[in-house]
Every structure is written in structure tokens, then in C-alpha cells.
Amino acid sequence: MQLCLLMVALPSLGEDVKPFTPETAKEIVMSLQQPAVFCNMVGDWPALHWNVKYLSAVLDGKTIEFRIGSKTMDLVPQFETRCSYVKATLEEFLAWSSGQPSCLSGPFSCFEYSKYWAYADYKYIARIFEDKAEIFQVKWSDFGFPGRSGKESTLWIGSEGANTPCHLDSYGCNLVLQVQGRKKWHLFPPGDTSFLYPTRIPYEESSVFSKVNVAKPDLKRFPEFKNTTAHVVTLSPGQVLLVPRHWWHYVESIDPITISINSWIELDADHEARVEEAITRTLVCAIKSAESPGDEDIWLNPTEVEATSHEINLQYLNKAVSAYFKCQKANVSEQTRPSSTEAERVTRGCKLLTHEFGSSTLKAEKFQKIPFGPHLIQVLPQPQETSSTGAVKSDYRDLLHENEGGHFGKLHCTRKQLAMSNDCETPANQMDSDGSPNASQTALSTNDLLDCLVNPHVISLVAQLLLERAGV
């Protein structure tokens, strides 16, 4: 089906006139399979004028949780399980980040600003601000989603250096409004998944992490990372970034204080994704919970309260499967609903792969209709050389020489993890002289097994087989 996207033809844009109608904006969001930046769409949004001082006054001394990380760049990602956490007010955060006396910065006084960053990330606005109606005026209706406001959005407040490890979101696509300061986004297409060494440890529903610290990749351990195609963009206040489904992203605050608001947009494909996530949860919890106490490591992300029981996980799986078929039934009329034939199964598999990795022909047709220009800017692949604006170079092959002789970075918490690496690669000191693995020293861990067992491609296949069985 061809797209019919129409730009509003105007000689000049007034303060209250937007370059896209809500219908056009929604069609772009739901169709575009490449990241892009909307400009001049939110000039009249009250949220655009927020800053930390204003939000602090609204919260009136209420504390929120901040994640504390080190500004020292390691060769391993700074997962949330490797961070410290404090509860503090925005007033204390502002005092700390602006260099005021430590007596005003509360729990932040334990962390030297030059060495650490702080991030109040993934905070649901409705939970933090409760009945503060003025904070809910985030008008996603301008993008074609009426009724969606700050109540369906999350808030992100960070200091310089605050970052989110590289990951993909299993559900939906993502709209991100930059309110204060700038953030640099490193995005990678779904087709780069195998080059990013996906892992589900630490485990968090709907988040697939990369083992690679994309800001400082260790190409000795992750040589395939050099084959990735980075799309890098610096998001400034007033701009809205579209992150399409299953695009990997690493995000870093590059100004002293940054504020962002985002909302995840549900997609029909989420019903199958929820089945995949239910399978993943069942396997990860079952296998990690079966480890002996001596093998215990921090495998749950702080966002997960506890490891759910096998019975609860199976209930969740069955509910996800039921929801999937309910959606299928709603979308297909009784008269035209096909039977569960081999052709149907092949078609479903092809449809999944096309959505996941994209059909180049279909993409080309879409891009010919998408109104790119000053109000909708493509986030293009990063050029081979460092740009004149100082953007991070995307030719990671050059970094191989820089990493030679370097350390592998600090591992979390216990000496035990030196023996239980999350990597499937064999370290150089475990190789025989002919380059083959030394059988006497190679020991696969539970996490190695899980990295293969719950690999996104494997889980996708298992989900299709399970849905076929359930649909018989």
C-alpha cells in the first residue's frame, strides 16, 4: 500500500502553525523504518519551557531516585547493576551539578561531580507528579495520538555524562522530546543485532542489552562490532526524535543538565513481542534461579523487583498467547480468516522477518513519499571520518589499534565473575599455541548458555512454533 503523505503548503510558518498535520505526523511515525528528527512541532507545548528549577518547585521537596555512574569510560557497558543509587530532591541535584557547597547537595555530596554523573531516568510522570495537572500537558495529539499526554510519558533528568547502555526496546516505537540541554544518540538498525552481541543479562522485560560499550568498543572481545552501521544525532531542545521499532540506541547527556520526555507508541507487532518476552522471562528465571548459591550474580536489573516463579511466568505466557490470538481474530474477519496451513505459517514468518529487518524495496517506496526536509530530518549513517562538528567517528575499525594492550574493564562486584564471563568468545590466555581453544581452561557459564538460548532470533522462532501449537 502506497503512502499518501502531504505537507502543509505554507509560505511561512507562524508560531501556532505546524509543518505536519496530526494525521500526516502519525503516518510518518507508524511507517518510517529509519530514525528521523521532527522540528518545529512543539513550539507551543508548555513542557518545552520546563527546567530543573521549575520542576523542583512543582515537586516541592519530594525525593526521586537517581542512578549514579562513573565518568571514567570502561570497555564494558555501565549497566544499571553496576551503578549506585541515591534518593534526593531536584534542588539537591541542581546544587550538586552547578557546583554549589556540598552541604546543599544532600546525598550527592558523597560523589565528586568531576568523576560521577547522575540520572533520574525512566520516571513515569504520572507517578512522580501525581495530581499536578500542569505537568501532564504534553500534547502527543499533535503527532496523531489523541488522548496521549504526560500521563503516558516518562521523564529523564541527567547531568553531563549520564547515559543509557546500548539496548533495543522489544515493544513499540519511541518518540523523544528534548526539553533542556542536548543528548547524543548512537542508533543501530535491527539488522546489526548479531554485531552488537545481544544479552538478556541483566534481565529486564522488554530490554535487550548489548555487551558492547559502543562509546569505547573492545574489538578484541567483540570483533563483529566493526560491521555495525551507526546513525548518530545530537538532539537539541524543541526537537523530537523518532526511534523506530527494534532500533538499538546508546544515549548520553552532553550538557551540564538535560531533560527529556518520551512516550512509547504501541504497535500491532507488540502482541507477538509479548509472547517472545514471556518465553524469555520463563527461561531466564528458571535457569538463573536454578544456579547454586555460589554461582549467584546480580542478574536482575533494578527495574525488576524480584525473580517471578515458574507458575507465574507460565500464567503470563498463556495470557500473552491469548492476547495474540484475540488481536488476530479482531483484525481478520470470520469470512476471510485463513486456516492454519503451511502457507500461512510461512507467510507469518516472512511478515515477521520483513518487519524486523525491512524490505529494501518497500523502504525505498516509503522514503520516496516521506516528506524529508527542514521539518523532518533523516538520521543518516555516520560517515567514515570524524565530522567537522566533532561527532564520534563511526569507523570503529580504527579503534582496534587504540584498544590494543588495553584492559577488559572492571567487572561487577565479585571475583567469581572473572571466571563467569558473559562472553562467548575465548580470551587469548585460554588459547593453545595453534589458536584453538584450550579445553582444559575453557568453561562455559550459565550466562553463555542463556546468551545463545534467549538470543532474539532463537526466541522469535520459538514464539512462532509455540503460536502454531497453540493455534491448532
Side-chain angles (χ1 to χ4, degrees), residues 140-211:
W140 296 116
S141 56
D142 287 343
F143 288 84
F145 302 98
R148 184 178 293 266
S149 67
K151 292 183 179 180
E152 294 79 27
S153 305
T154 54
L155 183 67
W156 309 69
I157 302 174
S159 64
E160 184 176 2
N163 63 80
T164 304
C166 186
H167 69 285
L168 68 79
D169 299 310
S170 303
Y171 306 142
C173 61
N174 195 2
L175 286 174
V176 185
L177 165 64
Q178 193 62 28
V179 176
Q180 180 180 356
R182 297 169 300 154
K183 281 185 174 178
K184 179 165 284 188
W185 286 72
H186 301 245
L187 302 115
F188 303 86
D192 281 358
T193 292
S194 62
F195 305 143
L196 287 159
Y197 299 82
T199 183
R200 297 310 300 262
I201 304 297
Y203 174 76
E204 174 184 78
E205 182 180 350
S206 82
S207 295
V208 183
F209 291 103
S210 168
K211 296 186 200 174

Side-chain angles (χ1 to χ4, degrees), residues 235-440:
L235 201 64
S236 298
Q239 296 180 330
V240 176
L241 173 66
L242 166 64
V243 182
R245 181 177 188 260
H246 285 185
W247 271 71
W248 294 82
H249 45 285
Y250 166 82
V251 191
E252 182 178 3
S253 298
I254 59 175
D255 281 332
I257 294 179
T258 62
I259 300 177
S260 306
I261 303 169
N262 87 294
S263 190
W264 284 279
I265 308 300
E266 299 82 4
L267 301 171
D268 286 343
D270 291 348
H271 292 286
E272 187 161 355
R274 292 187 190 283
V275 175
E276 295 174 359
E277 284 299 302
I279 295 169
T280 300
R281 174 183 286 274
T282 301
L283 292 173
V284 171
C285 289
I287 292 176
K288 291 298 291 184
S289 298
E291 285 186 309
S292 62
D295 292 333
E296 186 178 354
D297 62 347
I298 301 177
W299 59 274
L300 274 179
N301 216 44
T303 53
E304 296 286 332
V305 178
E306 61 182 359
T308 44
S309 69
H310 189 65
E311 289 73 22
I312 290 176
N313 291 336
L314 279 181
Q315 290 176 19
Y316 179 43
L317 174 58
N318 279 282
K319 288 180 180 178
V321 170
S322 296
Y324 170 85
F325 283 112
K326 184 177 181 180
C327 176
Q328 293 291 96
K329 186 176 181 180
N331 291 339
V332 180
S333 67
E334 291 293 334
Q335 292 78 11
T336 59
R337 182 172 58 189
S339 61
S340 182
T341 62
E342 182 64 26
E344 178 191 6
R345 292 195 290 269
V346 172
T347 300
R348 184 166 63 220
C350 291
K351 181 179 179 182
L352 176 67
L353 290 174
T354 299
H355 195 286
E356 181 75 23
F357 300 108
S359 163
S360 58
T361 303
L362 184 59
K363 284 183 180 180
E365 290 178 2
K366 287 182 178 181
F367 290 157
Q368 289 174 6
K369 304 296 182 181
I370 298 292
F372 290 117
H375 308 299
L376 182 67
I377 303 171
Q378 284 179 278
V379 181
L380 298 171
Q382 188 75 357
Q384 295 294 317
E385 300 298 328
T386 303
S387 71
S388 59
T389 59
V392 177
K393 60 186 177 183
S394 65
D395 188 2
Y396 294 104
R397 296 171 182 83
D398 294 341
L399 296 175
L400 181 60
H401 176 72
E402 297 174 16
N403 286 341
E404 287 177 0
H407 59 81
F408 287 121
K410 293 181 287 186
L411 295 180
H412 178 59
C413 287
T414 62
R415 186 175 301 175
K416 169 270 308 173
Q417 287 175 292
L418 295 174
M420 286 188 62
S421 168
N422 277 350
D423 308 316
C424 292
E425 292 72 42
T426 306
N429 64 357
Q430 294 183 9
M431 304 291 285
D432 284 333
S433 57
D434 62 356
S436 60
N438 184 333
S440 63

Side-chain angles (χ1 to χ4, degrees), residues 114-127:
S114 63
K115 296 180 180 179
Y116 295 94
W117 49 258
Y119 208 4
D121 53 351
Y122 198 47
K123 306 301 181 188
Y124 277 96
I125 291 177
R127 294 178 187 171

